[in-house]
Amino acid sequence: MSFLVEENPAKHRFEILVDDALAGFTAYVPRGEVLVFTHTEVDQRFQNMGVGAALVRGTLDQIRERGGRVVPKCPFVAAFIKRHPEYGDLVTTQP
Protein backbone atom coordinates (compact mmCIF):
# COMPACT_ATOMS: atom_id res chain seq x y z
CA MET A 1 0.00 0.00 0.00
CA SER A 2 1.47 3.37 -0.99
CA PHE A 3 0.47 6.68 0.60
CA LEU A 4 0.73 10.10 -1.01
CA VAL A 5 -0.21 13.26 0.89
CA GLU A 6 -0.71 16.39 -1.16
CA GLU A 7 -2.27 19.77 -0.62
CA ASN A 8 -5.37 20.77 -2.55
CA PRO A 9 -5.33 24.56 -2.02
CA ALA A 10 -8.51 25.07 -4.08
CA LYS A 11 -10.43 22.99 -1.53
CA HIS A 12 -8.40 24.16 1.50
CA ARG A 13 -7.35 20.69 2.50
CA PHE A 14 -4.59 18.11 2.42
CA GLU A 15 -5.59 14.82 0.83
CA ILE A 16 -4.17 11.32 1.13
CA LEU A 17 -4.15 8.93 -1.79
CA VAL A 18 -3.78 5.22 -1.14
CA ASP A 19 -2.73 3.37 -4.28
CA ASP A 20 -4.02 6.38 -6.31
CA ALA A 21 -7.47 6.39 -4.63
CA LEU A 22 -8.60 9.34 -2.49
CA ALA A 23 -8.72 7.86 1.01
CA GLY A 24 -9.19 10.91 3.19
CA PHE A 25 -8.52 14.56 3.85
CA THR A 26 -7.90 17.11 6.56
CA ALA A 27 -9.54 20.50 6.00
CA TYR A 28 -8.19 23.87 7.07
CA VAL A 29 -8.97 27.57 7.10
CA PRO A 30 -5.95 29.61 5.99
CA ARG A 31 -4.88 32.53 8.18
CA GLY A 32 -1.69 33.74 6.52
CA GLU A 33 1.12 31.35 7.41
CA VAL A 34 -1.17 29.68 9.97
CA LEU A 35 -3.57 26.91 8.99
CA VAL A 36 -6.53 26.28 11.31
CA PHE A 37 -7.42 22.60 10.97
CA THR A 38 -11.16 22.04 11.38
CA HIS A 39 -12.01 18.52 10.21
CA THR A 40 -10.37 15.23 9.25
CA GLU A 41 -12.13 12.42 7.44
CA VAL A 42 -10.97 8.98 6.29
CA ASP A 43 -13.08 6.89 3.91
CA GLN A 44 -14.60 3.86 5.66
CA ARG A 45 -12.73 1.48 3.36
CA PHE A 46 -9.42 2.82 4.74
CA GLN A 47 -10.19 3.16 8.45
CA ASN A 48 -8.08 1.33 11.06
CA MET A 49 -5.19 1.03 8.59
CA GLY A 50 -3.07 3.97 9.77
CA VAL A 51 -4.29 6.20 6.94
CA GLY A 52 -5.42 9.02 9.24
CA ALA A 53 -2.07 9.08 11.06
CA ALA A 54 -0.18 9.00 7.74
CA LEU A 55 -2.35 11.88 6.49
CA VAL A 56 -1.70 14.08 9.51
CA ARG A 57 2.02 13.21 9.64
CA GLY A 58 2.45 14.02 5.94
CA THR A 59 0.47 17.25 6.34
CA LEU A 60 2.49 18.44 9.34
CA ASP A 61 5.78 17.53 7.65
CA GLN A 62 4.86 19.69 4.64
CA ILE A 63 3.80 22.59 6.87
CA ARG A 64 7.09 22.34 8.77
CA GLU A 65 9.08 22.38 5.50
CA ARG A 66 7.53 25.68 4.47
CA GLY A 67 7.77 27.28 7.91
CA GLY A 68 4.05 27.33 8.64
CA ARG A 69 2.14 26.91 11.90
CA VAL A 70 -1.12 25.17 12.82
CA VAL A 71 -4.09 25.61 15.12
CA PRO A 72 -5.49 22.09 15.70
CA LYS A 73 -9.23 22.74 16.18
CA CYS A 74 -9.91 19.29 14.70
CA PRO A 75 -9.90 16.71 17.55
CA PHE A 76 -8.10 14.12 15.39
CA VAL A 77 -5.23 16.49 14.51
CA ALA A 78 -5.02 17.68 18.14
CA ALA A 79 -4.86 14.09 19.43
CA PHE A 80 -2.17 13.19 16.88
CA ILE A 81 0.00 16.12 17.95
CA LYS A 82 -0.50 15.21 21.63
CA ARG A 83 0.67 11.64 20.88
CA HIS A 84 3.59 12.94 18.78
CA PRO A 85 5.17 15.82 20.71
CA GLU A 86 7.82 16.26 18.00
CA TYR A 87 5.14 18.27 16.17
CA GLY A 88 4.24 20.44 19.16
CA ASP A 89 6.45 23.30 17.95
CA LEU A 90 4.12 23.78 14.97
CA VAL A 91 1.15 24.64 17.19
CA THR A 92 0.16 28.24 17.78
CA THR A 93 -2.89 29.81 19.35
CA GLN A 94 -2.77 32.77 16.94
CA PRO A 95 -5.08 32.14 13.98
Short mmCIF file of all heavy atoms in Angstrom, two decimals, residues 9-53:
data_model
loop_
_atom_site.label_atom_id
_atom_site.label_comp_id
_atom_site.label_asym_id
_atom_site.label_seq_id
_atom_site.Cartn_x
_atom_site.Cartn_y
_atom_site.Cartn_z
N PRO A 9 -5.03 23.21 -2.50
CA PRO A 9 -5.33 24.56 -2.02
C PRO A 9 -6.71 25.07 -2.46
O PRO A 9 -7.33 25.83 -1.74
CB PRO A 9 -4.23 25.42 -2.64
CG PRO A 9 -3.21 24.49 -3.19
CD PRO A 9 -3.88 23.16 -3.38
N ALA A 10 -7.20 24.62 -3.60
CA ALA A 10 -8.51 25.07 -4.08
C ALA A 10 -9.62 24.65 -3.13
O ALA A 10 -10.61 25.34 -2.97
CB ALA A 10 -8.77 24.54 -5.48
N LYS A 11 -9.42 23.50 -2.47
CA LYS A 11 -10.43 22.99 -1.53
C LYS A 11 -10.03 23.24 -0.08
O LYS A 11 -10.73 22.80 0.83
CB LYS A 11 -10.66 21.49 -1.77
CG LYS A 11 -11.33 21.19 -3.09
CD LYS A 11 -11.70 19.73 -3.20
CE LYS A 11 -12.47 19.45 -4.48
NZ LYS A 11 -12.86 18.05 -4.59
N HIS A 12 -8.91 23.89 0.15
CA HIS A 12 -8.40 24.16 1.50
C HIS A 12 -8.29 22.88 2.32
O HIS A 12 -8.83 22.76 3.41
CB HIS A 12 -9.29 25.18 2.25
CG HIS A 12 -9.33 26.52 1.61
ND1 HIS A 12 -8.22 27.34 1.54
CD2 HIS A 12 -10.31 27.18 0.99
CE1 HIS A 12 -8.54 28.45 0.91
NE2 HIS A 12 -9.81 28.38 0.55
N ARG A 13 -7.55 21.94 1.76
CA ARG A 13 -7.35 20.69 2.50
C ARG A 13 -6.12 19.96 1.98
O ARG A 13 -5.64 20.20 0.87
CB ARG A 13 -8.58 19.79 2.39
CG ARG A 13 -8.89 19.25 1.00
CD ARG A 13 -10.24 18.58 0.96
NE ARG A 13 -10.39 17.68 -0.17
CZ ARG A 13 -11.46 16.96 -0.41
NH1 ARG A 13 -12.49 17.00 0.42
NH2 ARG A 13 -11.52 16.15 -1.45
N PHE A 14 -5.63 19.05 2.81
CA PHE A 14 -4.59 18.11 2.42
C PHE A 14 -5.32 16.79 2.21
O PHE A 14 -6.18 16.41 3.00
CB PHE A 14 -3.53 17.97 3.50
CG PHE A 14 -2.55 19.10 3.55
CD1 PHE A 14 -2.88 20.28 4.20
CD2 PHE A 14 -1.30 19.00 2.95
CE1 PHE A 14 -1.98 21.34 4.25
CE2 PHE A 14 -0.40 20.05 2.99
CZ PHE A 14 -0.75 21.23 3.65
N GLU A 15 -4.94 16.08 1.16
CA GLU A 15 -5.59 14.82 0.83
C GLU A 15 -4.57 13.69 0.86
O GLU A 15 -3.38 13.91 0.61
CB GLU A 15 -6.20 14.90 -0.58
CG GLU A 15 -7.23 15.99 -0.71
CD GLU A 15 -7.71 16.25 -2.12
OE1 GLU A 15 -7.02 15.86 -3.09
OE2 GLU A 15 -8.78 16.84 -2.26
N ILE A 16 -5.05 12.49 1.17
CA ILE A 16 -4.17 11.32 1.13
C ILE A 16 -4.72 10.35 0.08
O ILE A 16 -5.92 10.06 0.05
CB ILE A 16 -4.02 10.63 2.50
CG1 ILE A 16 -2.95 9.53 2.43
CG2 ILE A 16 -5.34 10.13 3.05
CD1 ILE A 16 -2.45 9.03 3.77
N LEU A 17 -3.82 9.93 -0.78
CA LEU A 17 -4.15 8.93 -1.79
C LEU A 17 -3.51 7.62 -1.37
O LEU A 17 -2.34 7.58 -0.99
CB LEU A 17 -3.61 9.36 -3.15
CG LEU A 17 -4.09 10.71 -3.68
CD1 LEU A 17 -3.37 11.07 -4.97
CD2 LEU A 17 -5.59 10.70 -3.89
N VAL A 18 -4.28 6.56 -1.42
CA VAL A 18 -3.78 5.22 -1.14
C VAL A 18 -3.90 4.45 -2.44
O VAL A 18 -5.00 4.25 -2.95
CB VAL A 18 -4.57 4.53 -0.02
CG1 VAL A 18 -4.09 3.11 0.18
CG2 VAL A 18 -4.47 5.33 1.27
N ASP A 19 -2.75 4.06 -2.98
CA ASP A 19 -2.73 3.37 -4.28
C ASP A 19 -3.57 4.15 -5.31
O ASP A 19 -4.42 3.58 -6.00
CB ASP A 19 -3.22 1.93 -4.15
CG ASP A 19 -2.31 1.11 -3.23
OD1 ASP A 19 -1.11 1.42 -3.15
OD2 ASP A 19 -2.82 0.17 -2.59
N ASP A 20 -3.36 5.46 -5.35
CA ASP A 20 -4.02 6.38 -6.31
C ASP A 20 -5.51 6.62 -6.06
O ASP A 20 -6.17 7.24 -6.87
CB ASP A 20 -3.80 5.93 -7.76
CG ASP A 20 -2.33 5.94 -8.14
OD1 ASP A 20 -1.60 6.84 -7.69
OD2 ASP A 20 -1.90 5.05 -8.88
N ALA A 21 -6.07 6.13 -4.95
CA ALA A 21 -7.47 6.39 -4.63
C ALA A 21 -7.54 7.40 -3.48
O ALA A 21 -6.78 7.28 -2.51
CB ALA A 21 -8.17 5.10 -4.22
N LEU A 22 -8.43 8.38 -3.57
CA LEU A 22 -8.60 9.34 -2.49
C LEU A 22 -9.13 8.61 -1.27
O LEU A 22 -10.21 8.03 -1.30
CB LEU A 22 -9.56 10.46 -2.90
CG LEU A 22 -9.82 11.53 -1.84
CD1 LEU A 22 -8.53 12.28 -1.50
CD2 LEU A 22 -10.88 12.51 -2.32
N ALA A 23 -8.36 8.62 -0.18
CA ALA A 23 -8.72 7.86 1.01
C ALA A 23 -9.15 8.74 2.16
O ALA A 23 -9.77 8.27 3.11
CB ALA A 23 -7.55 6.97 1.44
N GLY A 24 -8.81 10.03 2.10
CA GLY A 24 -9.19 10.91 3.19
C GLY A 24 -8.62 12.30 2.99
O GLY A 24 -7.87 12.56 2.04
N PHE A 25 -9.01 13.19 3.91
CA PHE A 25 -8.52 14.56 3.85
C PHE A 25 -8.57 15.21 5.22
O PHE A 25 -9.29 14.75 6.11
CB PHE A 25 -9.34 15.39 2.84
CG PHE A 25 -10.78 15.58 3.25
CD1 PHE A 25 -11.17 16.64 4.06
CD2 PHE A 25 -11.74 14.68 2.83
CE1 PHE A 25 -12.50 16.80 4.44
CE2 PHE A 25 -13.07 14.83 3.21
CZ PHE A 25 -13.45 15.90 4.02
N THR A 26 -7.81 16.27 5.38
CA THR A 26 -7.90 17.11 6.56
C THR A 26 -8.06 18.55 6.07
O THR A 26 -7.26 19.04 5.28
CB THR A 26 -6.69 16.91 7.52
OG1 THR A 26 -6.90 17.67 8.69
CG2 THR A 26 -5.36 17.26 6.88
N ALA A 27 -9.16 19.18 6.50
CA ALA A 27 -9.54 20.50 6.00
C ALA A 27 -9.01 21.59 6.91
O ALA A 27 -8.90 21.41 8.13
CB ALA A 27 -11.06 20.58 5.91
N TYR A 28 -8.71 22.74 6.30
CA TYR A 28 -8.19 23.87 7.07
C TYR A 28 -8.77 25.19 6.58
O TYR A 28 -9.30 25.28 5.48
CB TYR A 28 -6.66 23.93 6.99
CG TYR A 28 -6.11 24.14 5.60
CD1 TYR A 28 -6.05 25.40 5.02
CD2 TYR A 28 -5.66 23.06 4.84
CE1 TYR A 28 -5.54 25.59 3.74
CE2 TYR A 28 -5.14 23.23 3.56
CZ TYR A 28 -5.09 24.51 3.02
OH TYR A 28 -4.60 24.70 1.75
N VAL A 29 -8.65 26.19 7.45
CA VAL A 29 -8.97 27.57 7.10
C VAL A 29 -7.65 28.32 7.13
O VAL A 29 -6.97 28.33 8.16
CB VAL A 29 -9.96 28.18 8.12
CG1 VAL A 29 -10.23 29.65 7.78
CG2 VAL A 29 -11.26 27.38 8.16
N PRO A 30 -7.23 28.91 6.00
CA PRO A 30 -5.95 29.61 5.99
C PRO A 30 -6.03 30.97 6.68
O PRO A 30 -6.99 31.70 6.50
CB PRO A 30 -5.66 29.78 4.49
CG PRO A 30 -6.99 29.72 3.82
CD PRO A 30 -7.89 28.90 4.69
N ARG A 31 -5.02 31.24 7.50
CA ARG A 31 -4.88 32.53 8.18
C ARG A 31 -3.43 32.97 8.02
O ARG A 31 -2.64 32.87 8.94
CB ARG A 31 -5.23 32.43 9.66
CG ARG A 31 -6.67 32.08 9.94
CD ARG A 31 -7.58 33.28 9.78
NE ARG A 31 -8.95 32.98 10.14
CZ ARG A 31 -9.92 32.74 9.26
NH1 ARG A 31 -9.65 32.73 7.97
NH2 ARG A 31 -11.14 32.51 9.64
N GLY A 32 -3.08 33.40 6.81
CA GLY A 32 -1.69 33.74 6.52
C GLY A 32 -0.84 32.50 6.52
O GLY A 32 -1.15 31.51 5.86
N GLU A 33 0.23 32.52 7.31
CA GLU A 33 1.12 31.35 7.41
C GLU A 33 0.55 30.28 8.35
O GLU A 33 1.12 29.21 8.50
CB GLU A 33 2.51 31.78 7.91
CG GLU A 33 3.28 32.61 6.91
CD GLU A 33 3.51 31.85 5.60
OE1 GLU A 33 4.04 30.74 5.64
OE2 GLU A 33 3.13 32.39 4.55
N VAL A 34 -0.56 30.61 9.02
CA VAL A 34 -1.17 29.68 9.97
C VAL A 34 -2.36 28.99 9.31
O VAL A 34 -3.18 29.64 8.65
CB VAL A 34 -1.63 30.43 11.24
CG1 VAL A 34 -2.37 29.50 12.19
CG2 VAL A 34 -0.44 31.09 11.94
N LEU A 35 -2.43 27.67 9.48
CA LEU A 35 -3.57 26.91 8.99
C LEU A 35 -4.37 26.40 10.18
O LEU A 35 -3.81 25.74 11.07
CB LEU A 35 -3.12 25.73 8.12
CG LEU A 35 -2.31 26.08 6.87
CD1 LEU A 35 -1.95 24.81 6.11
CD2 LEU A 35 -3.06 27.05 5.98
N VAL A 36 -5.65 26.74 10.23
CA VAL A 36 -6.53 26.28 11.31
C VAL A 36 -7.22 25.01 10.82
O VAL A 36 -8.06 25.07 9.92
CB VAL A 36 -7.57 27.37 11.67
CG1 VAL A 36 -8.48 26.88 12.80
CG2 VAL A 36 -6.88 28.68 12.05
N PHE A 37 -6.84 23.88 11.39
CA PHE A 37 -7.42 22.60 10.97
C PHE A 37 -8.76 22.38 11.67
O PHE A 37 -8.84 22.47 12.88
CB PHE A 37 -6.44 21.44 11.23
CG PHE A 37 -5.37 21.41 10.19
CD1 PHE A 37 -4.21 22.16 10.36
CD2 PHE A 37 -5.55 20.71 9.02
CE1 PHE A 37 -3.24 22.18 9.37
CE2 PHE A 37 -4.59 20.73 8.02
CZ PHE A 37 -3.43 21.46 8.21
N THR A 38 -9.79 22.10 10.86
CA THR A 38 -11.16 22.04 11.38
C THR A 38 -11.79 20.66 11.32
O THR A 38 -12.72 20.38 12.07
CB THR A 38 -12.05 23.02 10.59
OG1 THR A 38 -11.98 22.69 9.20
CG2 THR A 38 -11.60 24.46 10.79
N HIS A 39 -11.32 19.80 10.40
CA HIS A 39 -12.01 18.52 10.21
C HIS A 39 -11.10 17.54 9.48
O HIS A 39 -10.42 17.92 8.53
CB HIS A 39 -13.28 18.75 9.39
CG HIS A 39 -14.07 17.51 9.12
ND1 HIS A 39 -14.77 16.84 10.10
CD2 HIS A 39 -14.27 16.80 7.98
CE1 HIS A 39 -15.36 15.79 9.57
NE2 HIS A 39 -15.07 15.73 8.28
N THR A 40 -11.11 16.29 9.93
CA THR A 40 -10.37 15.23 9.25
C THR A 40 -11.34 14.08 8.99
O THR A 40 -12.13 13.73 9.86
CB THR A 40 -9.17 14.75 10.10
OG1 THR A 40 -8.31 15.86 10.33
CG2 THR A 40 -8.41 13.63 9.41
N GLU A 41 -11.24 13.51 7.81
CA GLU A 41 -12.13 12.42 7.44
C GLU A 41 -11.35 11.36 6.67
O GLU A 41 -10.56 11.70 5.79
CB GLU A 41 -13.22 13.01 6.53
CG GLU A 41 -14.49 12.22 6.48
CD GLU A 41 -15.59 13.01 5.76
OE1 GLU A 41 -16.04 14.04 6.28
OE2 GLU A 41 -15.95 12.58 4.65
N VAL A 42 -11.58 10.09 7.02
CA VAL A 42 -10.97 8.98 6.29
C VAL A 42 -12.11 8.09 5.79
O VAL A 42 -13.03 7.75 6.55
CB VAL A 42 -10.01 8.17 7.19
CG1 VAL A 42 -9.52 6.91 6.49
CG2 VAL A 42 -8.83 9.03 7.61
N ASP A 43 -12.07 7.75 4.51
CA ASP A 43 -13.08 6.89 3.91
C ASP A 43 -13.16 5.58 4.70
O ASP A 43 -12.14 5.03 5.11
CB ASP A 43 -12.68 6.62 2.45
CG ASP A 43 -13.76 5.87 1.69
OD1 ASP A 43 -13.94 4.65 1.98
OD2 ASP A 43 -14.38 6.46 0.81
N GLN A 44 -14.39 5.09 4.88
CA GLN A 44 -14.60 3.86 5.66
C GLN A 44 -13.75 2.69 5.20
O GLN A 44 -13.29 1.90 6.01
CB GLN A 44 -16.08 3.46 5.60
CG GLN A 44 -16.87 3.95 6.78
CD GLN A 44 -18.27 3.37 6.77
OE1 GLN A 44 -18.95 3.36 5.75
NE2 GLN A 44 -18.69 2.87 7.91
N ARG A 45 -13.52 2.61 3.90
CA ARG A 45 -12.73 1.48 3.36
C ARG A 45 -11.29 1.50 3.86
O ARG A 45 -10.59 0.49 3.79
CB ARG A 45 -12.72 1.52 1.83
CG ARG A 45 -14.07 1.33 1.19
CD ARG A 45 -14.00 1.53 -0.31
NE ARG A 45 -13.59 2.90 -0.59
CZ ARG A 45 -12.92 3.29 -1.67
NH1 ARG A 45 -12.57 2.41 -2.59
NH2 ARG A 45 -12.61 4.55 -1.85
N PHE A 46 -10.83 2.68 4.35
CA PHE A 46 -9.42 2.82 4.74
C PHE A 46 -9.24 3.06 6.23
O PHE A 46 -8.15 3.37 6.68
CB PHE A 46 -8.79 3.97 3.94
CG PHE A 46 -8.78 3.72 2.46
CD1 PHE A 46 -9.72 4.31 1.64
CD2 PHE A 46 -7.84 2.88 1.88
CE1 PHE A 46 -9.71 4.08 0.26
CE2 PHE A 46 -7.82 2.64 0.52
CZ PHE A 46 -8.76 3.24 -0.29
N GLN A 47 -10.31 2.93 7.01
CA GLN A 47 -10.19 3.16 8.45
C GLN A 47 -9.47 2.00 9.13
O GLN A 47 -9.46 0.88 8.64
CB GLN A 47 -11.57 3.40 9.06
CG GLN A 47 -12.12 4.75 8.63
CD GLN A 47 -13.48 5.06 9.23
OE1 GLN A 47 -14.05 4.27 9.96
NE2 GLN A 47 -14.01 6.22 8.90
N ASN A 48 -8.83 2.31 10.25
CA ASN A 48 -8.08 1.33 11.06
C ASN A 48 -6.92 0.70 10.29
O ASN A 48 -6.56 -0.44 10.51
CB ASN A 48 -9.02 0.24 11.60
CG ASN A 48 -10.11 0.82 12.45
OD1 ASN A 48 -9.85 1.65 13.32
ND2 ASN A 48 -11.34 0.43 12.19
N MET A 49 -6.35 1.50 9.36
CA MET A 49 -5.19 1.03 8.59
C MET A 49 -4.02 2.01 8.70
O MET A 49 -3.06 1.91 7.95
CB MET A 49 -5.59 0.86 7.11
CG MET A 49 -6.67 -0.19 6.89
SD MET A 49 -7.38 -0.15 5.22
CE MET A 49 -5.98 -0.48 4.20
N GLY A 50 -4.14 2.99 9.60
CA GLY A 50 -3.07 3.97 9.77
C GLY A 50 -3.11 5.11 8.76
O GLY A 50 -2.19 5.92 8.70
N VAL A 51 -4.19 5.17 7.98
CA VAL A 51 -4.29 6.20 6.94
C VAL A 51 -4.42 7.59 7.55
O VAL A 51 -3.78 8.55 7.11
CB VAL A 51 -5.46 5.90 5.98
CG1 VAL A 51 -5.71 7.05 5.02
CG2 VAL A 51 -5.18 4.62 5.21
N GLY A 52 -5.24 7.72 8.59
CA GLY A 52 -5.42 9.02 9.24
C GLY A 52 -4.11 9.55 9.81
O GLY A 52 -3.77 10.72 9.63
N ALA A 53 -3.37 8.68 10.49
CA ALA A 53 -2.07 9.08 11.06
C ALA A 53 -1.09 9.46 9.95
O ALA A 53 -0.37 10.46 10.06
CB ALA A 53 -1.50 7.96 11.92
#
